Amino acid sequence: MATLINEGKAKQLFTTDDPNIIQVHYLNQATALNGKRKEPVADKGVVNNQIDSLIFNYLNQQGIATHFIKQLSPSDQLVKKMKMVRLEVVVRNYASGSFQRKFDTEYLLKFDEPVQEFYYKSDRLDDPFINDSQIHALQIATPEQLSTMRDQVFKINQLLNQLFAKAGITLVDFKVEFGFDPDGNLILGDEISPDSCRLVDSQTHASLDKDVFRKHTGNVMDGYRTVLSRLEATVK
Ligand code: UDP
């Protein structure tokens, strides 16, 4: 019988008959401020599971090693059991969010080269920025592991930029997480969805992601549904 292993902000993780595989159940709720604000949002789990499954299928097909095995049902998927690295790996193609605030840049300033940052995963500390030598001092990852994650995340950025561009969507920035699979390989895990990406319509720059929920500027599901239907049209 499936037992609940862990409940996060947007997902529940369950055991399966295979100790190396877990079932991810996407919840119909949205959070902001590192979980301090939490609200039910109808259909969000189903839409995010479909967006995430489509993106991870695409990345697997393009040769990126990921935890994703298959979509199981509208709100569930099977993934490899991972031991996660306690880092959020952020890539930015345009200025927004904390980068825009920190350096007081114009919104959507385009970078010549993508910017990459690490944050230490800790709700208690509000996920602080962390640099390479701080990561080594805290023994979170070795220099080789950091360089593997950097190489992978830049490849992932290129592939996602191509996918979203075909859908008329600009990938402003995104966050991913890596971990070790049961064979000890450092591979991509967690989730890629409008909860963890900033996405804007390439023409109008309308926000299609969680910023709508964060800033109370409209119905968050309108943007999420647009992202799903446009991605589905590009992979058909
Ligand atoms: N992000 C995330 N989880 C976090 C923090 C950030 O998924 O705990 C994503 C966020 O959606 C955006 C990117 O990482 O796509 C960069 O976020 P930023 O540093 O600008 O922070 P924010 O201002 O969004 O808190």
Side-chain angles (χ1 to χ4, degrees):
M1 207 190 70
T3 50
L4 182 67
I5 310 171
N6 189 17
E7 175 153 353
K9 289 172 209 141
K11 289 172 300 214
Q12 290 172 325
L13 308 182
F14 293 92
T15 58
T16 66
D17 294 340
D18 185 333
N20 290 334
I21 296 178
I22 58 173
Q23 183 171 340
V24 181
H25 176 73
Y26 279 72
L27 298 167
N28 290 325
Q29 73 186 21
T31 64
L33 308 169
N34 266 329
K36 290 180 201 89
R37 186 178 146 223
K38 190 195 284 191
E39 287 169 26
V41 178
D43 272 355
K44 178 166 165 287
V46 172
V47 173
N48 265 5
N49 181 40
Q50 288 181 87
I51 294 173
D52 179 87
S53 296
L54 185 150
I55 290 175
F56 271 81
N57 261 322
Y58 163 76
L59 292 176
N60 281 345
Q61 281 164 14
Q62 299 292 325
I64 301 291
T66 83
H67 72 154
F68 184 80
I69 300 171
K70 66 171 184 179
Q71 189 178 340
L72 203 59
S73 74
S75 53
D76 295 81
Q77 55 178 242
L78 290 181
V79 301
K80 291 183 184 175
K81 188 168 175 155
M82 303 269 282
K83 186 170 180 328
M84 298 307 290
V85 177
R86 276 189 76 179
L87 293 173
E88 300 198 332
V89 188
V90 167
V91 175
R92 304 174 187 274
N93 297 302
Y94 299 82
S96 184
S98 68
F99 187 100
Q100 189 197 350
R101 287 193 296 276
K102 190 169 179 180
F103 300 107
D104 194 19
T105 67
E106 67 177 271
Y107 176 53
L108 300 189
L109 169 74
K110 189 174 185 342
F111 302 129
D112 290 340
E113 298 290 332
V115 174
Q116 188 272 317
E117 298 161 359
F118 291 112
Y119 292 85
Y120 178 54
K121 264 183 83 72
S122 164
D123 281 346
R124 189 172 61 85
L125 302 175
D126 273 339
D127 299 344
F129 176 88
I130 188 166
N131 72 16
D132 287 36
S133 62
Q134 291 168 331
I135 290 172
H136 302 150
L138 295 174
Q139 301 188 337
I140 297 167
T142 65
E144 293 73 29
Q145 289 164 350
L146 283 191
S147 94
T148 300
M149 289 189 275
R150 276 207 177 94
D151 289 351
Q152 287 298 299
V153 87
F154 283 128
K155 280 188 196 142
I156 293 162
N157 183 46
Q158 275 182 358
L159 290 166
L160 293 181
N161 277 331
Q162 288 166 13
L163 178 72
F164 282 118
K166 279 192 217 150
I169 295 171
T170 300
L171 177 60
V172 175
D173 57 31
F174 66 98
K175 181 271 302 180
V176 290
E177 296 176 27
F178 290 85
F180 295 93
D181 73 8
D183 297 323
N185 302 307
L186 182 54
I187 64 172
L188 181 68
D190 195 51
E191 172 180 349
I192 301 179
S193 75
D195 275 7
S196 57
C197 302
R198 271 201 182 86
L199 303 167
V200 296
D201 182 289
S202 301
Q203 300 291 319
T204 65
H205 290 179
S207 199
L208 302 172
D209 58 56
K210 204 170 129 181
D211 270 356
V212 174
F213 177 77
R214 288 193 189 99
K215 296 178 184 165
H216 304 269
T217 49
N219 180 348
V220 69
M221 287 315 295
D222 292 348
Y224 282 44
R225 285 203 183 88
T226 302
V227 172
L228 176 59
S229 63
R230 290 207 205 162
L231 284 179
E232 282 176 340
T234 64
V235 295
K236 265 192 188 124

